[in-house]
Amino acid sequence: MSEPILLAESVSRVYREGGHELKVLDNLNFALEPGERVAIVGQSGSGKSTLLNILGGLDVPSSGRMCVGGKDLHEQSEKNRARIRNEKLGFVYQFHHLLPEFSALENVAMPLLLRGDKVSDIRERAAEMLAAVGLSERVTHKPAQLSGGERQRVAIARSLIGQPACVLMDEPTGNLDRKTADDVQLLIEQLNRTLNIAFVIVTHDLELAHRTGRVFELRDGGLFEQQAESVLEG
């Protein structure tokens, strides 16, 4: 059996302020295998973004163990955690967070520029990724010149350029109309099939959740696997 890309073991996250404690995650367990496509749903305030930040190494659990690519993040320096994030993971958010002064190609290239890769190789790879998401005619366009769906596709291309094992998505269709959201859903499915990249998608979009391989509900600090059909009905 292959090693999980993401492995959370007995993860808890507690916030303390003014003598009060708020336990957001409580002894949570989760494993993501290569090539899986998983949705995480839950009520607002249930801790979905907190969980995604811990899965992506952007936050650390109060207790428990979080591994990415077989490496325990707690045992790594901040520099090594940043390197693991850059090499193993991609991130896509509801708000695309593109840099407005840069072109689509330059935005996509950013993760490899941070790695220090050769500039000519980076430009070629960025153009390939934009073509893969259907934006080969938009490489020189800046974000203000792109539609909402196109901007989200640029963000997806940026998340993929480092050839990650997994892409973490926080409400990737949250700001899109239904037609554009459907197009993004189809793109995610295509990339999952052709590149064998795993996806973890935090979403309120029940149609998007229904179309993933597995669906988990985050409630009372734990993850509970659901039948996709029941999520869609619920």
Side-chain angles (χ1 to χ4, degrees):
M1 188 174 177
S2 59
E3 183 174 64
I5 297 166
L6 302 178
L7 180 63
E9 294 182 328
S10 302
V11 163
S12 294
R13 186 66 172 97
V14 180
Y15 293 97
R16 296 178 175 86
E17 184 175 351
H20 298 284
E21 286 191 355
L22 175 63
K23 181 172 280 191
V24 179
L25 305 178
D26 186 9
N27 204 36
L28 179 147
N29 294 286
F30 175 71
L32 180 75
E33 301 297 330
E36 275 198 295
R37 192 156 38 92
V38 168
I40 296 175
V41 300
Q43 295 182 348
S44 296
S46 60
K48 298 187 300 297
S49 293
T50 297
L51 173 59
L52 205 65
N53 286 339
I54 287 177
L55 293 177
L58 298 170
D59 192 7
V60 294
S62 303
S63 61
R65 182 169 175 256
M66 182 65 228
C67 297
V68 175
K71 296 185 177 181
D72 188 336
L73 295 182
H74 184 70
E75 297 176 351
Q76 310 298 317
S77 65
E78 181 51 45
K79 181 178 179 180
N80 281 342
R81 284 199 295 270
R83 179 182 55 79
I84 291 169
R85 286 195 300 267
N86 186 279
E87 292 178 355
K88 300 292 185 183
L89 302 173
F91 298 86
V92 177
Y93 301 96
Q94 177 176 357
F95 302 99
H96 46 75
H97 297 304
L98 300 180
L99 299 172
E101 66 271 28
F102 293 107
S103 68
L105 187 140
E106 290 165 337
N107 269 282
V108 172
M110 285 297 170
L112 296 190
L113 289 170
L114 292 173
R115 282 191 198 177
D117 289 4
K118 188 177 176 182
V119 173
S120 59
D121 293 341
I122 293 173
R123 291 185 65 85
E124 181 179 354
R125 181 67 181 152
E128 289 174 355
M129 291 314 308
L130 283 168
V133 300
L135 292 178
S136 57
E137 303 300 317
R138 296 286 191 269
V139 294
T140 62
H141 289 59
K142 293 184 178 180
Q145 299 170 303
L146 301 172
S147 69
E150 288 172 336
R151 288 194 290 270
Q152 197 64 305
R153 284 172 178 260
V154 173
I156 292 171
R158 181 181 57 191
S159 76
L160 297 170
I161 193 169
Q163 297 179 314
C166 172
V167 173
L168 302 170
M169 295 184 150
D170 193 356
E171 298 288 357
T173 60
N175 277 338
L176 305 177
D177 61 71
R178 187 69 260 164
K179 170 63 169 63
T180 307
D182 288 343
D183 290 343
V184 170
Q185 290 173 15
L186 289 172
L187 175 62
I188 292 168
E189 292 168 12
Q190 174 193 345
L191 294 168
N192 175 247
R193 279 194 313 272
T194 58
L195 302 179
N196 198 39
I197 291 173
F199 286 85
V200 176
I201 307 168
V202 164
T203 185
H204 283 101
D205 187 339
L206 297 184
E207 287 192 30
L208 176 58
H210 175 67
R211 289 164 62 165
T212 63
R214 300 167 72 197
V215 182
F216 291 85
E217 182 183 3
L218 180 60
R219 67 175 186 271
D220 300 325
L223 276 180
F224 301 88
E225 189 160 6
Q226 307 292 302
Q227 292 295 325
E229 292 79 5
S230 68
V231 171
L232 190 63
E233 292 168 1

